[in-house]
Amino acid sequence: METSTQTMEIARTILNQIQYADRSALMAWGASNFAAISPSREYQGGIAFQVLGLKHKGWIKVLLRWVDDYTIEFINQDRELVKTSNGCYCDMLVPIIDWIEGK
């Protein structure tokens, strides 16, 4: 039970960090279908969500690494990984996703 609480807390924290940086970012990206990501050997957890951006349509995964930075994965509608950004910090989440989205 502890793991699922922790998983949800990490997902909620990432969403809060995005909203703190830019209140309208999730809406601008057309974000929906949010899902918490369980811990693994590489990641403490994270969040995945679907986007309908100007350039990127598909999914975005924001994964919290054990060294306390993020990996952001961009997955297209064919479920293929098209771009990865490593070593991101919370203040970089919105600018990196905006850049991929073509803002």
Side-chain angles (χ1 to χ4, degrees):
M1 193 63 161
E2 179 58 37
T3 310
S4 66
T5 304
Q6 208 169 4
T7 299
M8 291 304 292
E9 190 59 37
I10 289 170
R12 224 181 334 267
T13 298
I14 295 168
L15 281 179
N16 288 341
Q17 289 170 337
I18 290 170
Q19 289 172 325
Y20 179 79
D22 183 345
R23 283 187 337 172
S24 62
L26 292 167
M27 188 177 62
W29 302 329
S32 63
N33 300 323
F34 297 89
I37 298 172
S38 298
S40 66
R41 288 207 291 133
E42 286 183 69
Y43 304 109
Q44 291 183 52
I47 191 161
F49 52 91
Q50 198 167 3
V51 293
L52 292 169
L54 295 172
K55 284 188 177 178
H56 180 73
K57 290 174 181 31
W59 290 265
I60 294 176
K61 285 185 181 179
V62 181
L63 302 153
L64 177 62
R65 295 189 333 135
W66 290 102
V67 294
D68 240 16
D69 66 6
Y70 293 111
T71 295
I72 306 172
E73 294 180 350
F74 297 86
I75 299 152
N76 68 17
Q77 291 176 314
D78 296 327
R79 301 201 183 255
E80 300 163 332
L81 182 64
V82 291
K83 179 141 184 69
T84 302
S85 275
N86 295 304
C88 308
Y89 294 97
C90 64
D91 62 332
M92 299 162 71
L93 294 174
V94 171
I96 289 171
I97 296 171
D98 272 352
W99 178 69
I100 298 299
E101 284 295 319
K103 269 189 151 191

